[in-house]
Amino acid sequence: MSPIKAPKNYTIKPYHGILVVYFVLALGTLFAWRAVGVNGVIGDEPHYLVMASGWARHGVLEQTLPYLDEFQNQEIYPGGWVPRDAVPTPEITHALQGPRGLYNIHNIGLPLLLSAPFGMSGVLGARLFMILLGSFAVAVSWRLIGYFTRNPDVQFLCAASLCWALPLVPAANQIYPDLLAGTILLYCLPHVMWTELRPGLRQTIWMALLLSFLPWLQVKYALPALIVMAALVVQSLQREQVVKRVIAIIGIATVCAVPLALYNNHAFGKFTGPYNGLGFEINRTSLMVFHGLFIDQNQGFLMQNPIHWVGVAAVGMQLARHPKRTLLWAVVFLSLLLPNAMHPNWYGGQSFSGRFGWAATLVFWIPTLAGLTALAENQRHVFKGIISASLLLQATWLMLIMTDAVELYNRSVHTHLSYYSMLNAPIHAILPALYNVTWAYRYPPNWVWAFILLGVFACGFRWAVAHPAKTIDLKNHPA
């Protein structure tokens, strides 16, 4: 996974093509759904927008007035989820009664970002802005691929396999902070993994700002932010301008954390926010969900975009060759996946299938891209075959999604297995189904695919050990 710097004279026109097609697909999905009357706000989405409405139209973070407006006008949730004359209370909102009024349990970072677009164009404006934020994942992935290869065709195909696919395209218009959090980590993590990438003082400050914003999006992102920021401090101790770098990182983290803590204390009477304890459960269900976020036929990121199986093998290879670097990546990846697996609102409640894995999926782009570019250099025909199959599969699925031929929202645990599959109905019986704990551990495909996952990882590890001269790493050219 050793990165190299793309040549300065390399044209960026292929990147424009990747970006244009992303916008066409993401916007096409949004407006196709609107045309057939689907994609209304659901789950946590209306509550994020109520917060955005309160800040945009009333300049308040206290939730009584914005919820009253929504109950009466039903702008965000047509038809309303309560009668028009309802009084906002914790029982009918996502808010708690604190010492100074009613405050939303959701973090304020995303609503603050959405306040201007929502104030100008309502729900549609918010969704369009989310698609714009999603385009930063395209930009970051393009930059990341450029560290691995100088071949413009390979760079284009690798970017297309991830940016014109699930989960990014259909998820881009959803009003959740997960994709943005994943994009921030996708940008920052490579700079602390590879010594060849030597960020200057300005870039270090920029990364510290981005990482410090993660807890504003959701409190659970404080852990991966802290891990990457600690690695950034350690890295800075080995660079020039050590004192300035460390002071900048710690100073920015403090300056960003203090206002959030003061808001939490004002709203909920404690600096840590609205929750009592961690709110996690460790049991048979959480173990099932953890595996499901990998391989469940609806929820698993390896099933939503099977090209990530290349990344599974690449993780095994890199663990054999660069254990410290790979373990850092793995700790960040698991810090995103494990809290979601243990959250009792299993798989994210009424939201999109796979949402609890979105941030971790973007972080997984790193080994997937490393593996794909290595295949392109060493096994060109295999690379082209995998890319072609992936693009064809994703095009088929996106066509079904745009025409509303499939239901993307989470299924109930009571759903019969024959009606569970989101995209793989013809072959659903041979794919994992990890959504009902009463029989999931007895369902043979779940065990078969779990062993396949471990087998692919083990094959990558053993190949790297057996072929020390045939490394998948590219040349070490300092960036």
Side-chain angles (χ1 to χ4, degrees):
M1 280 197 215
S2 296
I4 60 176
K5 185 178 180 181
K8 293 183 179 180
N9 61 350
Y10 175 65
T11 177
I12 62 172
K13 289 182 180 179
Y15 164 66
H16 291 158
I18 295 291
L19 194 60
V20 167
V21 174
Y22 158 77
F23 277 120
V24 169
L25 292 174
L27 291 170
T29 301
L30 171 61
F31 287 107
W33 285 345
R34 288 174 63 87
V36 296
V38 298
N39 198 32
V41 290
I42 194 170
D44 294 337
E45 288 185 303
H47 304 282
Y48 280 114
L49 293 179
V50 167
M51 295 177 71
S53 172
W55 186 249
R57 296 173 179 173
H58 306 288
V60 298
L61 293 172
E62 202 277 336
Q63 296 291 282
T64 302
L65 184 55
Y67 269 117
L68 278 173
D69 276 357
E70 171 56 23
F71 292 167
Q72 294 168 6
N73 300 323
Q74 299 181 354
E75 174 189 5
I76 297 170
Y77 198 90
W81 68 78
V82 294
R84 292 182 185 271
D85 60 351
V87 177
T89 63
E91 289 72 26
I92 59 173
T93 65
H94 280 198
L96 295 179
Q97 188 67 46
R100 294 174 180 83
L102 199 67
Y103 283 86
N104 212 296
I105 62 172
H106 299 293
N107 283 46
I108 59 178
L110 185 61
L112 290 177
L113 293 177
L114 290 172
S115 58
F118 180 84
M120 292 186 290
S121 301
V123 176
L124 178 60
R127 293 206 183 278
L128 292 174
F129 184 73
M130 293 305 299
I131 290 174
L132 178 62
L133 289 179
S135 70
F136 290 106
V138 180
V140 172
S141 69
W142 184 266
R143 179 185 179 93
L144 178 61
I145 304 165
Y147 296 146
F148 293 134
T149 180
R150 290 191 176 99
N151 188 315
D153 294 332
V154 171
Q155 190 172 10
F156 182 89
L157 292 173
C158 288
S161 70
L162 296 179
C163 300
W164 302 349
L166 276 73
L168 183 60
V169 170
N173 68 68
Q174 297 295 287
I175 301 167
Y176 292 101
D178 307 85
L179 286 180
L180 179 57
T183 302
I184 291 173
L185 291 167
L186 181 67
Y187 173 76
C188 295
L189 187 53
H191 292 89
V192 298
M193 289 177 62
W194 293 300
T195 58
E196 295 89 349
L197 295 177
R198 301 179 62 85
L201 179 60
R202 290 184 180 181
Q203 191 172 18
T204 298
I205 291 173
W206 173 238
M207 287 191 291
L209 284 168
L210 290 174
L211 292 168
S212 298
F213 184 64
L214 286 175
W216 286 71
L217 292 175
Q218 275 191 343
V219 67
K220 64 184 177 182
Y221 294 129
L223 179 56
L226 183 62
I227 295 168
V228 179
M229 195 168 289
L232 189 61
V233 170
V234 172
Q235 181 194 70
S236 297
L237 295 175
Q238 304 168 358
R239 301 285 172 84
E240 65 281 356
Q241 298 177 301
V242 173
V243 176
K244 288 183 179 180
R245 288 175 184 270
V246 173
I247 290 177
I249 295 169
I250 297 176
I252 289 170
T254 303
V255 168
C256 291
V258 167
L260 182 60
L262 291 176
Y263 163 78
N264 285 332
N265 187 61
H266 175 86
F268 308 109
K270 52 184 178 179
F271 295 111
T272 54
Y275 300 104
N276 293 318
L278 296 176
F280 297 142
E281 294 184 12
I282 301 176
N283 51 35
R284 295 174 72 245
T285 304
S286 61
L287 181 61
M288 177 193 72
V289 172
F290 175 72
H291 286 92
L293 290 171
F294 283 91
I295 59 173
D296 178 82
Q297 58 186 282
N298 288 350
Q299 304 286 351
F301 73 92
L302 294 174
M303 297 301 187
Q304 288 198 2
N305 192 350
I307 206 165
H308 286 302
W309 287 93
V310 174
V312 175
V315 172
M317 294 179 186
Q318 290 305 300
L319 183 61
R321 301 189 189 285
H322 305 289
K324 291 182 180 180
R325 178 190 305 167
T326 307
L327 287 173
L328 171 61
W329 171 87
V331 169
V332 175
F333 174 75
L334 292 175
S335 74
L336 294 167
L337 214 59
L338 279 171
N340 282 341
M342 295 186 292
H343 195 290
N345 191 26
W346 310 116
Y347 288 128
Q350 294 180 317
S351 58
F352 263 23
S353 294
R355 180 176 76 86
F356 266 18
W358 286 351
T361 300
L362 263 66
V363 170
F364 204 86
W365 283 14
I366 297 172
T368 297
L369 290 172
L372 286 173
T373 51
L375 271 178
E377 183 173 87
N378 298 294
Q379 299 288 338
R380 180 58 63 92
H381 294 300
V382 175
F383 169 77
K384 289 183 177 179
I386 290 175
I387 292 291
S388 298
S390 177
L391 290 176
L392 178 60
L393 180 65
Q394 293 297 323
T396 303
W397 283 350
L398 289 175
M399 180 178 66
L400 293 173
I401 289 169
M402 286 186 182
T403 56
D404 192 32
V406 297
E407 174 61 67
L408 295 180
Y409 291 103
N410 290 341
R411 273 50 166 174
S412 164
V413 296
H414 305 295
T415 304
H416 192 276
L417 180 61
S418 59
Y419 298 105
Y420 177 69
S421 187
M422 184 174 72
L423 293 163
N424 298 288
I427 58 171
H428 76 276
I430 63 172
L431 297 178
L434 291 135
Y435 68 98
N436 189 324
V437 74
T438 60
W439 53 262
Y441 287 95
R442 303 192 306 270
Y443 189 54
N446 293 343
W447 289 101
V448 171
W449 283 91
F451 283 119
I452 291 174
L453 174 61
L454 292 174
V456 172
F457 170 82
C459 285
F461 186 90
R462 290 196 62 179
W463 190 94
V465 172
H467 300 85
K470 296 180 179 180
T471 175
I472 69 167
D473 295 327
L474 302 184
K475 299 174 183 178
N476 285 324
H477 287 194

